[in-house]
């Protein structure tokens, strides 16, 4: 219980050691001074709150917001001193906002608790006391032996002990962890693999030593010590031995494993940790505006306090006959009275700060984000994937992007690899009719002839078939002896691979006669022209990004020990000592120029002595608990040397649909595109040219293959000079990873200057962290541009998290990018709709929402300030307390919320077909100081018109009632409030361009609701109210024809100037967006527009429409419109406009 309390409070001490020792089946040593280690239980906690901490934790988080904290202070002031308004006026809106937010967050957390309970309560089987015991998942402890059956998910991180297979192997899929659907093979150590029964496992005496928990899914370092009779056998444990929580068991009847990481220490749970909070530019502007309004509030409160005391300097006003002071008031401290009056004025004017702004913005972002998921133009039918929103806080940021950083493979390309060419022993080959044909030869022989392979060709293809991590569909592994075609090729096997390159190469080898038919135990089976061969797999030297290669050591049927290696040419060619190295290098460059992805293949023969030395070194490195990665890297480098080059492969990755048009549209929108890829220089340039990132007319500048600071700096200076000299033409820059490291080390400013003057930048041979560094470099530059990163693989995650907006592509490289992104789309082409339409709309909506909120609160509170000049600054309130409370909550809240969800100021198809309109909203144009100043001045102007218009029309001794009765102060205040509610609602209506029935309902409904509420509130004596100053006031006001005239006149006077300003600006200085609005109105009119024309003109318009329906859309249009109908509309629009 005590430990649970400590965990809840966050006091549980961290692990002291770098490693943990796990006694299998919890058989702790009986001798010595053994102190058992403390491990987490197996509960998964994704929830944020508990029953005990919800209220304090949620309140603390909410009151960290400036506006909420400010209103709390105002509420407390109202409770402590005598203020002109009731504490309810501040307390009720604050309570409403806090309650709505708490309910939303509480409901979301309740759903998380519900999901946690389902997971924690799932039934599992563990080995205890010689038998299988059924228990709940949350009860599993570190050291327990757990049984998992086929198609079940692993409840904890397990080290595999045995399976139903003799070799102790099993297959799993990690789709829920990283999105990879291929089957991965995991193996048990030989000593435990034979223990396939519960009785045998219960007798196992073994200890596991492994690293403490870490989030990396692909890293695990440990060793197992098995006690057998008198000896202890030590075996290394790596990622191939670890079964991760959340992964699913496939093609295996059952497995037994020992729990090593439980609950929140599992790798899946450690990857839950939230990303750093990204804040949009709009939110930052909002906070700045709040500070300005706080200054205005303080100014008004201080001015009112000073004027009160200036006025009371005259004796007749200090203590008039009708308001004599008490003895206590006369003797009180003047300083205390001044502070008290200042706080009272602060309370009186406090509504200038819009408390409901935050909750409205939150609702707008949350509800508005659904439109992205619902957009069918962002739905990819082939993969049945629709866009998803992981972070709704950044919707408006999609309309502010200035730089796009994109990956190449899987983002611009399909990541569907097709084998095209290869180079074997210095000769180029192509695949023709299922046969390898040297370049220049034609293959006319019929398929029925058996095609023989030369020794070099066969060895190259065997290397391709053996050096990989490809799996075969389990249903086919048993039918490997299926009928063979006449040319010796088996009917196609279904391969699974985590790398599309490997799959394409193995499939190509099978088509030309060397077929990988699967693995059995530690053997790999290959059929060469129908002849089966079995190679014993001795060691796998796994691929890693630093080495950029992978290797296998196998024993051939003749007993020879062979190393087969494949990888990037930069990592293979320097390690090769024989073979056609120069010719292969030329061929690799030729493949790259064609845009093909290249790999080099090499091998090495080992003598028995060499192999013995290698085996010893590998075992030592793999059983090391400290610095295992570094030791393995050293051993791998020792093994992968003195290679004999076999050849190279060229695999094509075709471009995605409409990539070129999308990049061109981004360029027209004023967005600069940078391509960051790990591919080699020539391949990257070729793809950049083919996708339109580089133009053929563009001057390509290069900063590549620099080894020293001095040469890199000199080249940068020369590039900067060339750009200045040739400033008329467009430039494109190519930079590689090594040169980039040098440039960022000492010459960052010069490098940035060169980059900013280039229209397009291509960075090749980039490591994942280098991608993030480049994004950070631009992001933190003096201009502070808004950046967007888009990618599909795990190597893009750091870049996606670093950028202001991160977008994941639902590609074939897993789901790491999608899980870590803010938004996810199925194809790169959807980026144009996401930015030009959704981004544009979201930004316009929220910019108007924020400024309108400040405007309507200035309108609301300024008459209160002006009224003090007429009541001797006595802090008399102009409005009734109920009106003060409900103004922001009920009377004016819905029209702006609905506007912020549905507004479309320009037709979506026009926005997408005219990317240049995106420039109108760039650099936070609608939330800058000028628009803010305009809305603020407009608010003050309208407030003056409300107050003085009502005052002039109801001036002294003016009777507005038929019976000669006079209006009182509450009637005057109600008149001002009525005019204000109608005006601010009509102002919202003026800003609305896209009207739906919902807009009509909430706009006119808000005004009607105000009138109905006021009639009920003032027409009935409510027993629960202490005073009812408003009794019959509203009814009396509406019974006056003069009051109705005043309301209409003041509303028209307020809005007339606004309408005139809009009309004049639209006709004299229209912006691109305003032109597009007039332009898109023609589309909205459609047939009605044509019907109003003279008959001859209507015929002409109709003939154009029918012609448009028959012909294809002109290539001059950027084909990033969401649909063909949208393009036709746009064409019709242009024709009508030109006429």
């Amino acid at each position: 219980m005590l430990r649970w309390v400590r965990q809840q409070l966050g006091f549980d001490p961290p692990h002291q050691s770098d490693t943990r020792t796990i006694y299998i089946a919890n058989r702790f040593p009986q001798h010595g001074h053994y102190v058992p280690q403390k491990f987490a239980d197996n509960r998964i906690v994704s929830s944020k709150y508990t029953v005990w901490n919800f209220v304090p934790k949620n309140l603390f988080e909410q009151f960290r917001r400036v506006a909420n904290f400010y209103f709390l202070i105002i509420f407390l002031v109202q409770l402590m001193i005598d203020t002109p308004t009731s504490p309810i006026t501040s307390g009720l809106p604050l309570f409403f906002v806090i309650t709505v937010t708490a309910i939303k967050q509480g409901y979301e957390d309740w759903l998380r608790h519900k999901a946690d309970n389902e997971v924690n309560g799932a039934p599992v089987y563990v080995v205890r006391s010689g038998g299988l015991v059924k228990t709940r998942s949350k009860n599993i402890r570190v050291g327990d032996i757990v049984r998992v059956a086929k198609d079940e998910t692993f409840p904890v991180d397990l080290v595999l002990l045995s399976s139903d297979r003799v070799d102790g192997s099993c297959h799993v899929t990690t789709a829920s962890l990283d999105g990879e659907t291929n089957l991965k093979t995991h193996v048990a150590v030989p000593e435990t693999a034979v223990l396939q029964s519960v009785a045998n496992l219960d007798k196992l005496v073994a200890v596991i030593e492994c690293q403490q928990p870490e989030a990396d899914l692909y890293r695990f370092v440990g060793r197992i010590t098995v006690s057998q009779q008198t000896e202890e056998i030590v075996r290394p444990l790596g990622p191939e031995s670890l079964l991760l929580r959340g992964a699913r068991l496939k093609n295996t009847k059952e497995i037994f494993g020992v729990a090593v990481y439980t609950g929140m220490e599992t790798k899946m749970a450690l990857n839950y940790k939230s990303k750093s909070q990204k804040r949009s530019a709009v939110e930052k502007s909002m906070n700045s505006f709040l500070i300005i309004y706080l200054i205005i509030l303080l100014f008004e409160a201080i001015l009112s306090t000073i004027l009160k005391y200036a006025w009371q300097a005259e004796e007749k006003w200090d203590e008039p006959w009708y308001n004599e002071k008490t003895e206590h008031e006369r003797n009180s401290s003047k300083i205390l009275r001044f502070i008290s009056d200042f706080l009272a004025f602060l309370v009186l004017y406090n509504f200038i700060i819009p408390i409901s702004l935050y909750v409205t913005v939150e609702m707008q972002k949350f509800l508005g984000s659904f439109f992205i998921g619902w957009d069918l133009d962002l739905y990819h039918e082939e993969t049945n994937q629709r866009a998803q929103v992981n972070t709704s806080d950044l919707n408006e940021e999609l309309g502010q992007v200035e730089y796009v950083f994109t990956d190449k493979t899987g983002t611009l390309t399909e990541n569907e690899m097709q084998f095209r060419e290869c180079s074997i022993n210095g000769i180029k080959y192509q695949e023709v009719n299922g046969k390898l044909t040297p370049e220049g030869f034609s293959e006319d022989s019929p398929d029925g002839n058996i095609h023989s392979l030369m020794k070099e060709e066969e060895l190259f293809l065997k290397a391709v078939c053996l050096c990989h991590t490809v799996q075969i569909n389990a249903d086919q592994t048993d039918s490997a002896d299926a009928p063979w075609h006449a040319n010796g090729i088996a009917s196609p096997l279904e391969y699974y691979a985590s790398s599309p390159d490997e799959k394409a190469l193995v499939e190509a080898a099978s088509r030309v006669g060397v077929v990988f038919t699967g693995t059995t135990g530690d053997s790999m089976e290959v059929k060469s022209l129908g002849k089966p061969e079995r190679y014993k797999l001795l060691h796998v030297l796994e691929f890693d990004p630093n080495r950029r290669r992978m290797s296998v050591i196998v024993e051939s049927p003749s007993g020879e020990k062979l190393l087969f290696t494949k990888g990037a040419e930069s990592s293979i060619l320097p390690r090769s000592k024989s073979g056609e190295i120069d010719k292969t290098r030329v061929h690799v460059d030729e493949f790259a120029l064609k845009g093909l992805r290249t790999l080099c293949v090499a091998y090495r023969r080992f003598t028995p002595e060499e192999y013995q030395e290698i085996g010893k070194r590998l075992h030592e490195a793999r059983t090391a608990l400290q610095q295992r990665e570094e030791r393995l890297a050293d051993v791998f480098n020792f093994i992968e040397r003195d290679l004999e080059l076999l050849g190279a492969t060229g695999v094509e990755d075709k471009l995605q649909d409409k990539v070129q048009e999308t990049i061109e549209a981004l360029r027209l929108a004023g967005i600069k595109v940078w391509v960051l890829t790990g591919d080699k220089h020539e391949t990257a340039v070729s793809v950049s040219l083919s996708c339109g990132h580089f133009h053929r007319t563009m001057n390509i500048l290069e900063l590549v293959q620099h080894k020293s600071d001095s040469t890199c700096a000199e080249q940068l200076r020369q590039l900067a000079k060339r750009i200045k000299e040739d400033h008329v033409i467009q430039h494109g820059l190519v930079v590689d990873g090594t040169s980039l490291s040098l440039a960022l080390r000492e010459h960052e400013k010069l490098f940035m200057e060169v980059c900013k003057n280039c229209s397009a930048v291509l960075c090749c041979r980039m490591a994942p962290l280098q991608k993030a560094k480049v994004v950070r470099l631009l992001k933190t530059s003096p201009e502070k541009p808004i950046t967007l990163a888009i990618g599909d693989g795990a190597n893009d995650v750091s870049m996606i998290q670093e950028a202001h907006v991160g977008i994941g592509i639902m590609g074939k490289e897993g789901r790491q990018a999608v899980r870590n992104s803010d938004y996810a789309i199925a194809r790169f082409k959807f980026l144009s709709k996401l930015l030009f339409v959704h981004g544009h709309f979201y930004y316009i909506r929220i910019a108007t929402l924020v400024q309108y909120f400040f405007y309507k609160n200035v309108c609301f509170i300024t008459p209160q300030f002006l009224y003090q000049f007429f009541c001797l600054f006595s802090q008399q309130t102009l409005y009734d307390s109920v009106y003060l409370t409900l103004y922001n909550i009920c009377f004016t809240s819905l029209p702006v919320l609905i506007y912020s969800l549905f507004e479309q100021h320009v037709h979506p198809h026009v926005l997408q077909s005219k990317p240049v309109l995106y420039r109108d909203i760039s650099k936070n144009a609608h939330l800058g100081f000028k628009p803010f100043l305009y809305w603020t001045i407009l608010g003050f102007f309208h407030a003056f018109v409300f107050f003085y218009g009502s005052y002039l029309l109801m001036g002294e001794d003016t009777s507005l009632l038929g019976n000669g009765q006079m209006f009182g102060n509450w009637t005057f205040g109600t008149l001002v409030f009525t005019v204000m509610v109608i005006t601010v609602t009509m102002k919202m209506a003026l800003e609305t361009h896209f009207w739906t029935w919902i807009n009509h309902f909430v706009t006119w409904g808000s005004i009607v609701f105000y009138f109905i509420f006021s009639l009920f509130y003032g027409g009935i004596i409510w027993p629960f109210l202490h005073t009812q100053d408003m009794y019959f006031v509203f009814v009396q006001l509406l019974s006056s024809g003069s009051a109705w005239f005043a309301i209409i006149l003041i509303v028209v006077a307020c809005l007339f100037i606004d309408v005139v300003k809009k009309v004049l600006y639209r006709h004299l200085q229209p912006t691109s967006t305003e032109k597009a609005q007039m332009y898109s109105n023609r589309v909205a009119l459609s047939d009605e527009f044509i019907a109003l024309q003279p008959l001859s003109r209507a015929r002409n318009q109709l003939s154009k429409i029918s012609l448009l329906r028959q012909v294809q859309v002109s290539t001059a249009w950027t084909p990033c419109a969401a649909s063909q109908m949208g393009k036709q509309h746009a064409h019709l629009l242009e024709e009508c406009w030109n006429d």
Side-chain angles (χ1 to χ4, degrees), residues 818-977:
V818 172
R819 284 193 296 115
N820 288 279
S821 65
D822 304 307
Y823 302 89
I825 52 178
R827 288 292 181 271
F828 183 79
K829 66 179 179 180
F830 295 148
L831 187 62
S832 60
K833 177 83 186 273
L834 195 64
L835 298 185
F836 303 153
V837 179
H838 290 286
H840 201 118
F841 283 158
Y842 283 134
Y843 177 73
I844 291 293
R845 290 167 184 167
I846 203 162
T848 307
L849 181 149
V850 169
Q851 297 187 116
Y852 176 78
F853 251 94
F854 285 107
Y855 152 79
K856 72 186 179 78
N857 279 43
V858 166
C859 289
F860 180 38
I861 222 65
T862 304
Q864 184 91 291
F865 172 67
L866 297 174
Y867 186 56
Q868 297 307 304
F869 287 88
F870 294 84
C871 66
L872 289 180
F873 294 92
S874 61
Q875 296 151 10
Q876 168 64 34
T877 178
L878 178 62
Y879 313 119
D880 183 71
S881 292
V882 172
Y883 285 161
L884 279 170
T885 305
L886 297 183
Y887 175 75
N888 275 319
I889 295 175
C890 297
F891 300 145
T892 59
S893 59
L894 277 179
V896 67
L897 177 62
I898 296 303
Y899 168 92
S900 67
L901 291 174
F902 297 116
E903 173 63 359
Q904 295 182 11
H905 63 301
V906 181
H907 196 282
H909 294 308
V910 175
L911 280 178
Q912 198 164 359
S913 60
K914 297 284 187 185
V916 72
L917 294 177
Y918 192 81
R919 294 172 184 251
D920 283 0
I921 61 168
S922 63
K923 298 188 183 298
N924 207 13
H926 288 253
L927 266 178
F929 185 71
K930 281 186 179 178
F932 168 70
L933 194 63
Y934 164 73
W935 279 92
T936 302
I937 290 171
L938 185 69
F940 279 114
F941 168 71
H942 283 180
F944 273 78
V945 175
F946 300 155
F947 185 83
Y948 286 108
S950 300
Y951 180 74
L952 290 172
L953 290 165
M954 290 181 62
E956 296 176 16
D957 301 328
T958 304
S959 174
L960 295 181
L961 294 172
N963 61 4
Q965 282 185 343
M966 299 290 292
F967 278 174
N969 68 310
W970 292 115
T971 315
F972 175 72
T974 305
L975 176 63
V976 173
F977 192 83

Side-chain angles (χ1 to χ4, degrees), residues 14 28 36 113 146 209 242 262 485 490 508 680 694 877 917 1041 1124 1136:
F28 303 116
H113 270 284
V146 183
E209 293 173 272
L242 188 68
T262 49
H485 297 310
K680 72 190 301 288
F694 284 166
T877 178
L917 294 177
Q1124 194 69 19
C1136 295

Side-chain angles (χ1 to χ4, degrees), residues 89-154:
T89 57
S90 294
L92 194 63
L94 178 64
F95 177 76
F96 173 77
V97 169
I98 295 294
T99 304
V100 168
T101 308
I103 289 170
K104 171 181 167 283
Q105 293 177 350
Y107 173 70
E108 289 174 351
D109 206 59
W110 175 76
L111 292 177
R112 286 192 284 266
H113 270 284
K114 193 177 174 184
D116 289 346
N117 290 337
E118 284 181 17
V119 172
N120 294 331
V124 293
Y125 288 91
V126 297
V127 177
R128 284 180 187 161
S129 305
L132 275 179
V133 179
K134 186 177 181 179
T135 184
R136 294 181 183 275
S137 174
K138 63 183 179 183
N139 297 328
I140 298 175
R141 298 169 298 170
V142 171
D144 280 347
I145 298 175
V146 183
R147 192 203 75 170
V148 180
K150 183 180 179 183
D151 291 329
E152 290 182 353
T153 56
F154 300 114

Side-chain angles (χ1 to χ4, degrees), residues 291-342:
I291 291 167
I292 292 171
Y293 271 65
L294 269 172
I295 293 168
I296 293 172
L297 169 65
L298 291 170
F299 171 75
E300 287 184 349
I302 292 168
L303 180 65
S304 297
T305 309
I306 292 169
L307 289 175
K308 177 180 180 176
Y309 282 92
W311 213 300
Q312 288 179 357
E314 293 183 49
E315 192 173 335
K316 65 175 181 176
W317 297 123
D318 182 37
E319 193 175 344
W321 60 269
Y322 55 82
N323 191 16
E324 288 187 9
K325 294 180 180 179
T326 63
E327 196 64 33
H328 175 71
E329 285 176 332
R330 289 194 187 99
N331 296 329
S332 62
S333 165
K334 288 186 177 180
I335 296 173
L336 286 175
R337 268 189 294 159
F338 185 90
I339 293 170
S340 177
D341 284 326
F342 168 73

Side-chain angles (χ1 to χ4, degrees), residues 588-823:
V588 166
D589 291 341
E590 289 175 5
F591 295 163
L593 286 171
K594 294 176 185 177
L596 304 181
R597 290 165 62 89
T598 59
L599 286 172
C600 287
V601 182
Y603 83 112
R604 178 185 174 187
R605 287 186 170 87
F606 293 121
T607 64
E609 293 78 16
E610 285 176 331
Y611 177 72
Q612 192 174 356
E613 171 69 13
I614 285 166
K616 183 183 173 185
R617 287 196 178 199
L618 273 174
H619 180 74
E620 287 175 357
R622 282 183 167 150
T623 53
L625 283 181
Q626 304 296 330
Q627 298 181 324
R628 181 181 291 185
E629 284 84 357
E630 292 83 349
R631 293 189 186 188
L632 279 174
D634 292 340
V635 176
F636 288 173
N637 285 328
F638 173 74
I639 296 169
E640 296 165 330
R641 59 191 176 90
D642 300 335
L643 303 174
E644 188 172 334
L645 187 64
L646 291 172
T649 60
V651 176
E652 182 185 37
D653 187 5
K654 65 177 183 177
L655 283 177
Q656 284 187 20
D657 186 32
K658 294 186 178 177
V659 165
Q660 188 166 356
E661 294 90 332
T662 305
I663 289 177
E664 183 58 32
L666 292 171
R667 191 174 281 122
L668 287 171
I671 298 171
K672 288 190 175 183
V673 180
W674 288 35
V675 175
L676 312 180
T677 178
D679 270 355
K680 72 190 301 288
H681 174 203
E682 293 81 4
T683 307
V685 171
S686 175
V687 173
S688 276
L689 286 166
S690 62
C691 73
H693 179 235
F694 284 166
H695 288 301
R696 298 284 172 187
T697 55
M698 196 179 273
N699 182 23
I700 307 296
L701 308 173
E702 292 189 347
L703 182 69
V704 294
Q705 295 179 346
H706 288 285
K707 304 293 183 186
S708 67
D709 273 342
S710 56
T711 58
C712 182
E714 182 58 33
Q715 179 69 4
L716 276 171
R717 281 189 280 272
Q718 288 180 9
L719 294 178
K721 186 179 177 184
R722 281 182 63 184
I723 290 170
K724 285 180 183 176
E725 291 171 354
D726 303 331
H727 62 275
V728 179
I729 60 172
Q730 287 188 326
H731 299 278
L733 177 67
V734 182
V735 57
D736 63 10
T738 53
S739 303
L740 180 74
S741 298
L742 294 170
L744 296 184
R745 194 183 302 163
E746 298 286 341
H747 319 290
E748 197 174 286
K749 286 185 180 178
L750 188 56
F751 176 70
M752 283 301 300
E753 184 187 336
V754 171
C755 289
K756 285 179 181 176
N757 289 317
C758 291
S759 304
V761 178
L762 168 66
C763 301
C764 54
R765 287 295 188 221
M766 296 283 284
L769 283 176
Q770 280 185 312
K771 291 184 178 184
K773 278 183 181 177
V774 171
V775 175
R776 194 182 306 121
L777 184 68
L778 260 294
K779 186 176 156 185
T780 55
S781 62
E783 294 82 9
K784 299 273 189 294
I786 303 298
T787 58
L788 179 148
I790 178 169
D792 72 318
N795 59 331
D796 304 314
V797 168
S798 54
M799 169 177 80
I800 286 170
Q801 289 182 334
E802 183 62 47
H804 291 96
V805 182
I807 297 185
I809 296 282
M810 302 169 190
K812 296 180 175 63
E813 288 191 26
R815 287 290 185 274
Q816 296 99 315
V818 172
R819 284 193 296 115
N820 288 279
S821 65
D822 304 307
Y823 302 89

